[in-house]
Amino acid sequence: MCIVALAISAVGFHRYIWFISIGYGFSIAGIGSALLIYFGLRGGLTTVAAVMAALLIVYGLRLGGYLLIREYRSSSYRQVMQQAIDNGAHVRPPLKLLTWIGCALLYVCEASPIVFRLQNHAGTDAVAITGAAIMAAGIILESAADLTKNRFKQQHPHALCDVGLFRLVRCPNYLGEIITWTGVFVSGVTILNGVWQWLAAVGGYLCICWIMFGGARRLELRQDKEYSDDPDYRRYAERTPILIPFIPLHSLSNAKWLIG
């Protein structure tokens, strides 16, 4: 699985940000495909594991394809991402190498509960079914949020998207991401065996949650800068949680303990 993630995420050597964007999505899809092929040929593929591996493919292809389209069609998106993250022009090769390896390991750790379920020859149980359902719900939420924002921006390119799921939280796509990986983690809690499997699963889950909180904070700072003079934005930000529904945390700027 790690070799698959390394091979696909190597696109980041072409453009540094691709290590964590396009390379991320397609690496997850590649891991899901590899699980289906490898364990399918070995005869150890259970129904729930096959469903979750297929969900990894759906998740990865949707995310990778969405980011790839935005990369080439949206000049504003490219500009924002270049401002938010080093484009790699001044990143030394050793650091690129470390980024590549670190990203690949993270992607495998995120998917590791599914990998370990198959490796440990675990059958289908209620926890796995629950995890798969949570995972599917997260993918649907993230997809719906991206579709809503894309349609809104086509009609209102310079306005802040505050319709649909964006009335629930300001970052429903990040929320969907967290829910997706919560489902993956939950699916493995009954079958993880030994310290290393627990470290991989817990580490991958905590890292992606931390990354999503950090991404939400960066988005909040950009929006505060861009729409600071808009009273409608201020009212929207005051009444709408940034990431977690129904929890009155409307800003991450003053909650640095969440993201380090």
Side-chain angles (χ1 to χ4, degrees):
M1 298 306 110
C2 193
I3 291 172
V4 170
L6 284 168
I8 297 175
S9 62
V11 296
F13 287 106
H14 174 69
R15 187 170 297 175
Y16 187 65
I17 193 176
W18 286 5
F19 280 126
I20 60 172
S21 60
I22 294 169
Y24 170 47
F26 289 127
S27 290
I28 296 299
I31 291 171
S33 300
L35 288 174
L36 288 177
I37 295 170
Y38 180 77
F39 287 98
L41 292 175
R42 290 168 58 92
L45 197 62
T46 62
T47 300
V48 71
V51 169
M52 296 191 75
L55 286 174
L56 287 180
I57 297 173
V58 171
Y59 166 89
L61 291 179
R62 188 210 69 83
L63 178 61
Y66 176 75
L67 294 174
L68 189 62
I69 291 172
R70 287 185 69 179
E71 181 79 21
Y72 284 103
R73 288 188 178 180
S74 176
S75 58
S76 60
Y77 173 77
R78 290 195 300 270
Q79 182 179 1
V80 167
M81 295 309 292
Q82 287 177 356
Q83 292 174 350
I85 301 175
D86 195 320
N87 62 13
H90 302 95
V91 179
R92 295 181 177 180
L95 182 55
K96 286 186 178 181
L97 183 64
L98 288 175
T99 302
W100 175 45
I101 295 173
C103 286
L105 287 174
L106 172 60
Y107 305 156
V108 175
C109 286
E110 287 180 52
S112 65
I114 305 174
V115 178
F116 294 141
R117 172 168 289 278
L118 290 165
Q119 181 179 313
N120 297 342
H121 306 290
T124 299
D125 54 29
V127 172
I129 295 173
T130 300
I134 295 172
M135 182 184 180
I139 294 172
I140 292 172
L141 174 61
E142 187 174 3
S143 302
D146 286 340
L147 181 61
T148 297
K149 187 171 184 179
N150 186 54
R151 288 179 173 175
F152 182 87
K153 285 296 185 179
Q154 288 178 354
Q155 300 175 3
H156 313 281
H158 302 295
L160 177 74
C161 182
D162 59 355
V163 300
L165 291 169
F166 289 84
R167 294 183 181 276
L168 180 66
V169 292
R170 281 180 278 160
C171 298
N173 47 348
Y174 291 166
L175 174 61
E177 183 92 10
I178 291 175
I179 292 174
T180 298
W181 295 110
T182 297
V184 174
F185 178 74
V186 166
S187 74
V189 295
T190 56
I191 56 86
L192 294 173
N193 184 21
V195 174
W196 289 111
Q197 289 191 7
W198 275 101
L199 283 176
V202 173
Y205 177 64
L206 292 180
C207 279
I208 192 60
C209 289
W210 179 78
I211 289 169
M212 289 302 104
F213 273 97
R217 180 171 182 264
R218 287 191 296 272
L219 178 61
E220 178 188 28
L221 293 175
R222 291 201 303 270
Q223 289 179 345
D224 286 346
K225 181 178 179 180
E226 184 174 356
Y227 304 105
S228 59
D229 296 329
D230 186 347
D232 291 334
Y233 166 72
R234 291 199 297 271
R235 284 193 295 270
Y236 170 68
E238 288 171 359
R239 70 172 184 265
T240 309
I242 181 69
L243 187 57
I244 307 299
F246 314 119
I247 294 180
L249 182 61
H250 300 287
S251 173
L252 292 178
S253 298
N254 297 320
K256 295 181 180 180
W257 57 273
L258 287 171
I259 51 179

